[in-house]
Amino acid sequence: MQMTGELPAPELTEINLNAVFSALADPLRRGIVRELLDGDGSERACASFELPKAKSTRTHHWRVLREAGLIRQRDAGNGTFVRLRSEFDDRFPGLLATIAKLDEI
């Protein structure tokens, strides 16, 4: 179910593992996912992430994660908000837990 202002993302059955791995190959995007995994599962303002990049580059990273099916993103007023897709583990069980530990090794 899509929320008001939610930006387009693939349906769960359309999520492609190659796109997911490609999105997670970038350390900045992997860090975003890990930060969301460390949170309480609630929505966060995109501006709350420390991303040392130009606004256009940050927008690109959000789009890649959204189009890969890892996150949901929505526009609301003057801000954009993001959360992990709660149903992602239904499609790829254990993948997010593995990603959470990747950089710890």
Side-chain angles (χ1 to χ4, degrees):
M1 177 169 75
Q2 218 174 15
M3 293 175 61
T4 303
E6 194 162 300
L7 300 174
E11 294 295 325
L12 188 62
T13 58
E14 297 171 340
I15 296 175
N16 178 300
L17 194 55
N18 289 331
V20 171
F21 284 148
S22 179
L24 293 172
D26 182 277
L28 189 80
R29 291 191 293 262
R30 200 168 50 250
I32 290 168
V33 170
R34 289 188 65 223
E35 203 169 323
L36 288 167
L37 285 166
D38 288 344
D40 61 6
S42 64
E43 193 174 64
R44 268 184 69 179
C46 291
S48 70
F49 290 83
E50 285 191 39
L51 303 177
K53 304 286 180 186
K55 184 178 180 187
S56 61
T57 303
R58 292 190 308 263
T59 300
H60 166 75
H61 287 301
W62 293 122
R63 191 185 84 238
V64 170
L65 289 169
R66 187 180 71 250
E67 290 178 353
L70 287 156
I71 64 169
R72 294 274 188 194
Q73 195 177 18
R74 72 177 180 92
D75 286 330
N78 290 336
T80 305
F81 297 86
V82 64
R83 69 185 185 287
L84 281 175
R85 286 184 73 159
S86 58
E87 71 276 20
F88 188 86
D89 269 338
D90 295 341
R91 176 93 166 127
F92 302 107
L95 182 59
L96 290 178
T98 301
I99 296 306
K101 295 179 182 186
L102 269 183
D103 292 330
E104 295 175 4
I105 298 171

